[in-house]
Amino acid sequence: MRGLKGRIACITGAAQGIGQEICIRLAEEGAIIIALDILDTKSTVNRCREKGGHARGFVFDVTNKNQIHRVVQEIGEQFERIDIWVNNAGVFDNTATVALSEQKWDQISDINYKAMFLCAQPVIPLMQKNNWGRFINLSSMAGKMAYSEEIAYCSTKAAVLGLTRALAVELGCHGITANAICPGPIQTDMLKNTYQHLADINGVTLEEWSADILKTIPAGRFGKPADVAALVAFLASDDAGFINGQAINIDGGLVFY
Ligand SMILES: NC(=O)c1ccc[n+]([C@@H]2O[C@H](COP(=O)([O-])OP(=O)(O)OC[C@H]3O[C@@H](n4cnc5c(N)ncnc54)[C@H](O)[C@@H]3O)[C@@H](O)[C@H]2O)c1
């Protein structure tokens, strides 16, 4: 157990995939879960409660500054603090550079990293009150590596690393850490949709495409949302209090820096 009992943990992109699993894991560790997503988070909230945890959901668009401030204010009024903020909401895109519209670029940037800045503004004072806090930001191995026709995804996930380091040096003296997580391929809808698209344009089946990728992963398997959730639980704990400004790979051995 990570000793998260009673911690107030807010997770964006919590309706499914990695975000849902983070909610469930932190609930198991005793945290009070605030599940945030543009989609309904009822299933996440119910699964946390089934584990004996406390959870509440909000419909929340990470690109909407007014909504962010309203929801953070409501959490602040109810609990008088926020301890853990996981910026997990994100979107993937694989459009060639010449085909990517400016509107799409802005949309991906707004969700994948500008949102982290917008959320940090009202959350920081609620962490500073207790001289304790954890920002955990989902980047990707694409934030360190580059992939063809992923200019928006690679750029925004690299920006997450810069934003995380900036938060880390600014907030470290307040007992607040900020760290980024760089997952490799994790089995979620996002990965399946991406691989299906790549399989289609390469004229192979999803199974054939996945099998080829699998051969490149030293661990010999794809990641599971639970793998990422376990890392989040550690970074959220007191044990991780001296880890700050890092970009931690969780990819079965694909990236070494
Ligand atoms: N799955 C992978 O292989 C993988 C690898 C590296 C990094 N990641 C990152 O992990 C995070 C979670 O990925 P996932 O695979 O679970 O994706 P997913 O598509 O299954 O879930 C993403 C969630 O974010 C929510 N979301 C999207 N836009 C939002 C918005 N504007 N406001 C609020 N919520 C919004 C969606 O509704 C969804 O519930 C993302 O940041 C992703 O880039 C995933």
Side-chain angles (χ1 to χ4, degrees), residues 189-210:
D189 285 355
M190 180 187 279
L191 189 75
K192 190 172 168 211
N193 296 337
T194 304
Y195 282 5
Q196 185 66 66
H197 172 74
L198 292 170
D200 290 346
I201 58 177
N202 284 284
V204 296
T205 65
L206 173 63
E207 290 68 31
E208 286 166 335
W209 184 265
S210 302

Side-chain angles (χ1 to χ4, degrees), residues 144-180:
K144 294 185 173 181
M145 312 274 281
Y147 300 94
S148 181
E149 305 193 341
E150 293 187 16
I151 189 165
Y153 193 69
C154 292
S155 305
T156 54
K157 290 300 184 180
V160 170
L161 305 184
L163 178 144
T164 301
R165 291 171 189 138
L167 285 177
V169 296
E170 186 173 328
L171 303 176
C173 62
H174 298 285
I176 300 168
T177 66
N179 289 290

